[in-house]
């Protein structure tokens, strides 16, 4: 019988603790937030239970060994940190294995003999955005046979691309709001026709519109457009982060979020949270989320029926996209009492002040326990087809 497509397993020696590689930074515009998330994970992970190997990816894509210094991975003076600031060498690099039978991580420097850093049992990829949260890193880890926290290749890719995320949700009967997509070729070949698609969306559903990069997160590159005069600038800002853009009609209602966590018997939903309109911002943008730390309301003031409904829908979204590990599902509760799903995040913001950990804290699972559950779920799961 061929074992070509069978799940790969790797026996961890019983003489040592599992080694967790926390991978962070990356090439996306969410580099800094990934650093902040990694600092929180490094502080919380149980060092009596796990060995930890911090690995940073620079904005240029170089994998480096970094200091295990979570206190240096925080927002200071409204500025996010950089991997280069913690790298142990300006030239050295980390190489992950490509042989599923060998999980040894190697450190190399020009002119020096490569140094073995030991085997890695699981990767905790706290990367946000393209080149990390979008299935690219997950595919590499599948080829290497190394288990990892979070969703696999397909779910990660679907969760990153807002267009296909909405298409998947619609096919599973989940309600999404009105939107149009502008692909790079459309814009290059006929800007006027592409712009007309957006204007027609406003004509049908009214202003404001939200212009977004199709494959970014943390509210980076998003502009709320109140009328036609601001449209071109908003398109240029979104295209600065992604040549493919998504434009959504505004939904009137309350912003409700819900966490999903994979337990041994399947996914379960947390208590939901509500994101109130921030006083100093036009909407819940990057500054409101991470710099000014606009607080959410946990648990959300919903009726028992509304709470049960949004929890059901969050798990449905998790299952629809074939997610694993964790997801934060974001909804609008419209004025007519209907939940409309906006998006999911397969690796949501994971700092202690982020909504995902706060929702699970209110559900009875502390931040350190949440990190432990995610690592244990990854260790239970094999790589390969499953």
């Amino acid at each position: 019988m061929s074992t070509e497509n069978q799940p790969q397993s790797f026996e961890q020696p019983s003489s040592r603790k599992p080694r967790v590689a926390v991978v962070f930074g990356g090439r996306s515009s969410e580099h800094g937030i990934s650093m902040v998330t990694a600092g929180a994970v490094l502080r919380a992970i149980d060092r009596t239970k796990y060995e930890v190997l911090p690995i940073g990816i620079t904005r240029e894509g170089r994998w480096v060994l970094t200091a295990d210094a979570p206190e240096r991975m925080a927002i200071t003076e409204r500025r996010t940190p950089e991997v280069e600031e913690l790298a142990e060498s300006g030239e050295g690099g980390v190489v992950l294995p490509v042989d599923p039978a060998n999980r040894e991580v190697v450190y190399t420097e020009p002119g020096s003999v490569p140094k073995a850093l030991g085997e890695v049992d699981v990767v905790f990829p706290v990367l946000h955005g393209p080149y990390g949260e979008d299935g690219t890193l997950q595919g590499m880890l599948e080829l290497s046979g190394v288990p990892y926290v979070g969703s696999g290749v397909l779910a990660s890719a679907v969760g990153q691309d807002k267009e296909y995320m909405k298409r998947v949700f619609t096919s599973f009967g989940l309600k999404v709001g009105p939107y149009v997509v502008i692909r790079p070729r459309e814009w290059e070949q006929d800007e006027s026709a592409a712009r007309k698609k957006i204007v027609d969306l406003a004509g049908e559903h009214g202003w404001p519109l939200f212009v977004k990069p199709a494959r970014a997160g943390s509210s980076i590159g998003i502009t709320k457009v109140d009328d036609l005069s601001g449209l071109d600038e908003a398109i240029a800002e979104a295209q600065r982060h992604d040549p493919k853009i998504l434009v959504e009609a505004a939904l009137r209602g309350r912003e409700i979020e819900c966490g999903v966590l994979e337990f041994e018997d399947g996914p379960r939903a947390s208590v939901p949270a509500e994101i109130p309109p921030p006083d100093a911002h036009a909407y819940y943008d990057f500054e409101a989320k991470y710099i000014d730390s606009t607080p959410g309301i946990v648990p959300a003031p919903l009726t028992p029926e509304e709470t049960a409904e949004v929890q059901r829908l969050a798990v449905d979204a998790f299952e629809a996209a074939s997610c694993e590990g964790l997801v934060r599902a974001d909804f609008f509760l419209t004025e007519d009492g209907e939940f409309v799903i906006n998006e999911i995040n397969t690796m949501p913001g994971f700092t202690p002040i982020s909504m995902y950990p706060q929702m699970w804290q209110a559900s009875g699972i502390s931040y350190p326990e949440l990190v432990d559950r995610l690592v244990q779920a990854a260790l239970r799961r094999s790589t390969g087809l499953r």
Side-chain angles (χ1 to χ4, degrees):
M1 175 179 161
S2 169
T3 60
E4 180 182 353
N5 293 321
Q6 298 304 306
Q8 300 294 312
S9 60
F10 187 93
E11 292 298 323
Q12 173 207 320
S14 58
S15 58
R16 66 170 176 81
K17 295 179 286 189
R19 184 174 288 115
V20 181
V22 180
V23 180
F24 52 88
R27 294 163 56 190
S28 84
S29 53
E30 296 175 78
H31 178 102
I33 293 304
S34 172
M35 292 279 295
V36 176
T37 293
V41 170
L42 289 171
R43 276 191 295 272
I45 196 165
D46 187 348
R47 304 305 179 104
T48 68
K49 192 171 181 178
Y50 304 107
E51 293 181 22
V52 178
L53 181 66
I55 298 174
I57 303 175
T58 69
R59 288 187 184 272
E60 292 71 41
R62 184 167 65 98
W63 291 52
V64 300
L65 193 62
T66 73
D68 187 358
E71 69 280 358
R72 295 170 58 192
M73 303 166 75
I75 295 173
T76 55
E77 298 179 350
R78 304 180 73 84
R79 176 184 169 275
T80 56
E82 297 281 328
V83 163
E84 292 279 12
E85 297 167 354
L86 277 80
E88 295 199 347
S89 165
E91 296 181 318
V94 173
V95 180
L96 263 66
V98 294
D99 180 356
N102 173 23
R103 291 185 181 173
E104 189 121 284
V105 175
V106 175
Y107 178 73
T108 63
E109 281 198 68
S112 300
V113 176
K115 175 186 176 183
L117 300 179
E119 294 176 344
V120 166
D121 300 296
V122 63
V123 170
F124 200 135
V126 288
L127 293 146
H128 303 306
Y131 313 110
E133 191 184 350
D134 60 348
T136 50
L137 176 64
Q138 289 75 14
M140 186 189 76
L141 295 172
E142 291 287 349
L143 290 173
S144 303
V146 180
Y148 52 92
V149 170
S151 289
V153 176
L154 173 67
S156 297
V158 167
Q160 188 64 48
D161 191 311
K162 293 178 174 64
E163 176 194 0
Y164 287 96
M165 182 197 309
K166 291 176 185 292
R167 290 181 182 274
V168 167
F169 290 156
T170 300
S171 72
F172 277 81
L174 292 161
K175 186 174 179 58
V176 304
Y179 70 96
V180 296
V181 175
I182 306 296
R183 293 181 173 80
R185 188 179 292 115
E186 289 180 81
W187 189 254
E188 292 162 7
Q189 291 180 348
D190 192 340
E191 278 189 27
S192 297
R195 192 179 288 105
K196 184 177 184 301
K197 283 175 62 175
I198 301 173
V199 173
D200 287 348
L201 180 71
E204 184 176 356
H205 299 284
W207 300 92
L209 301 178
F210 287 88
V211 181
K212 305 180 175 184
R215 295 163 292 193
S218 297
S219 298
I220 291 174
I222 298 178
T223 305
K224 180 183 179 183
V225 182
D226 292 313
D227 54 47
L228 195 58
S229 65
L231 185 58
D232 284 356
E233 186 178 346
I235 290 170
E237 172 61 16
Q239 289 176 332
R240 198 165 65 83
H241 299 275
D242 187 346
K244 174 180 169 180
I245 66 171
L246 183 93
V247 184
E248 296 174 334
L251 292 174
R252 275 72 178 176
R254 299 159 61 189
E255 290 191 52
I256 305 294
E257 298 183 349
C258 191
V260 181
L261 180 65
E262 183 180 358
F263 287 74
E264 291 84 347
D265 60 350
R268 301 182 201 170
S270 70
V271 300
E274 180 168 3
I275 308 299
D279 293 334
H281 301 268
Y283 63 99
Y284 193 48
D285 61 5
F286 178 87
E287 297 271 326
K289 283 181 181 178
Y290 296 109
I291 304 299
D292 296 328
S293 301
T294 301
I297 303 169
V298 187
L302 300 171
T303 67
E305 293 76 19
E306 289 169 336
T307 295
E309 176 68 1
V310 76
Q311 288 174 324
R312 180 186 69 79
L313 291 170
V315 172
D316 285 352
F318 183 97
E319 298 281 36
S322 297
C323 295
E324 295 169 291
L326 73 163
V327 149
R328 193 194 73 230
D330 301 345
F331 297 85
F332 288 99
L333 177 56
T334 64
E335 293 170 350
D336 60 3
E338 185 174 36
F339 283 104
V340 177
I341 189 163
N342 186 39
E343 64 179 38
I344 58 170
N345 275 264
T346 56
M347 185 53 70
F350 213 79
T351 70
I353 65 167
S354 297
M355 294 312 303
Y356 185 84
Q358 284 194 55
M359 289 186 287
W360 281 109
Q361 176 79 42
S363 303
I365 296 179
S366 68
Y367 191 97
E369 184 184 351
L370 188 57
V371 170
D372 183 62
R373 281 183 174 275
L374 289 168
V375 172
Q376 288 297 316
L379 286 168
R380 286 195 304 270
R381 195 168 62 234
S382 60
T383 56
L385 300 178
R386 53 188 184 273

